[in-house]
Amino acid sequence: MRRKLVVGNWKMNGNRATNAELLAGLKAAGPWVAEVAVCVPSPYLGDVALSLQGEAIGWGAQDVSAYESGAYTGEVSAAMLAEFGCRYALAGHSERRAYHAESDQAVADKAKAALAHRITPIVCVGETLAEREADQTAAVVKRQLSAVIHTLGHCISQIVVAYEPVWAIGTGKTASPEQAQAVHALLRAQLKAATEHADTMKILYGGSVKADNAATLFAQPDIDGGLIGGASLKAGDFAAICRAAG
Ligand code: 13P
């Protein structure tokens, strides 16, 4: 049995006061059967690391540089994150692919850099509405994951995959459990062709997950938890989603 994982992606939200309130609420609401983590904006990594010391809630970054060090203004390296005890780093979130022109290969390189410092990359894949309507969903997610498989080789078994249909992110339009499961099964099959450990790998669903739809999504055989945006900003909502994964 794969243990479920629920990750909150705060995106570019919050401040020190609201972060402290949110984390206090989460600490009071846990522990959960599922593994739980939050991915926070870079300036708050130190605060969050301190606040979550000794807690059953992990934390991660929302991005990581593909480069080890050097003249890359604005970038944060995996070594820097690892120094704080960072457990996860998102790689290839659709907002970064869209607004920062991150290619499939750039995303794969970021995943590799994270793994080199024992940070688990959560590699995001997903199709746009136009791609879904053109029946391109399978081809798009396969292409996105394939770059990571080729770059990581046998280390692919150490990543977490997140399927986030772009049309479901922040729109209130969740993929139905059947739609999501169908894509997760495709991704699992692709991983199976690359590693004998595919059955132990986690594939998360993200896109308008809320307390009232989480349980049916998480009940699907290949959905191993969620990557939660908006609903991760309120302790009560996020805690309810974490409970639904238990
Ligand atoms: P929402 O849960 O706000 O739709 O965001 C999903 C997401 O992008 C998580 O990474």
Side-chain angles (χ1 to χ4, degrees), residues 7-11 164 207-210 227-233:
V7 179
N9 174 10
W10 293 358
K11 307 194 181 185
E164 297 207 312
S208 297
V209 178
K210 308 281 178 234
L227 182 54
I228 320 300
S232 74
L233 298 174

Side-chain angles (χ1 to χ4, degrees), residues 2-246:
R2 293 181 291 268
R3 187 179 176 202
K4 295 260 195 295
L5 169 64
V6 181
V7 179
N9 174 10
W10 293 358
K11 307 194 181 185
M12 199 173 72
N13 291 296
N15 57 48
R16 294 182 99 177
T18 60
N19 296 346
E21 193 183 328
L22 176 51
L23 290 176
L26 290 183
K27 287 189 235 178
W32 299 276
V33 176
E35 190 183 337
V36 170
V38 290
C39 287
V40 309
S42 294
Y44 302 129
L45 288 169
D47 277 355
V48 172
L50 266 180
S51 167
L52 293 179
Q53 234 167 28
E55 296 287 335
I57 304 170
W59 59 272
Q62 296 175 9
D63 186 29
V64 59
S65 177
Y67 305 104
E68 192 54 37
S69 66
Y72 301 102
T73 302
E75 297 266 285
V76 175
S77 75
M80 294 170 185
L81 296 172
E83 207 178 349
F84 284 85
C86 178
R87 194 179 304 170
Y88 294 104
L90 302 184
H93 190 281
S94 62
E95 287 147 19
R96 298 218 48 98
R97 290 181 190 261
Y99 309 146
H100 301 271
E102 288 188 5
S103 66
D104 296 335
Q105 188 57 50
V107 172
D109 292 341
K110 287 175 177 224
K112 188 171 181 177
L115 275 182
H117 290 274
R118 297 172 182 273
I119 294 168
T120 301
I122 300 176
V123 176
C124 307
V125 300
E127 82 287 3
T128 61
L129 183 58
E131 288 163 343
R132 174 160 282 263
E133 286 175 349
D135 248 348
Q136 290 296 304
T137 300
V140 168
V141 299
K142 191 169 181 180
R143 188 200 74 222
Q144 292 172 330
L145 184 57
S146 169
V148 188
I149 288 172
H150 281 108
T151 300
L152 297 189
H154 69 274
C155 292
I156 190 69
S157 62
Q158 296 168 34
I159 75 165
V160 169
V161 177
Y163 169 55
E164 297 207 312
V166 178
W167 49 271
I169 295 176
T171 58
K173 284 186 200 144
T174 324
S176 70
E178 296 73 24
Q179 279 174 323
Q181 166 57 26
V183 178
H184 281 232
L186 286 175
L187 293 168
R188 179 96 52 206
Q190 190 180 355
L191 292 168
K192 274 191 180 151
T195 171
E196 61 191 10
H197 303 297
D199 277 329
T200 67
M201 292 179 67
K202 295 189 207 305
I203 307 178
L204 312 183
Y205 169 79
S208 297
V209 178
K210 308 281 178 234
D212 60 2
N213 60 22
T216 47
L217 284 161
F218 297 163
Q220 300 300 309
D222 287 296
I223 299 184
D224 306 311
L227 182 54
I228 320 300
S232 74
L233 298 174
K234 287 201 183 124
D237 293 351
F238 189 58
I241 293 171
C242 297
R243 257 194 312 280

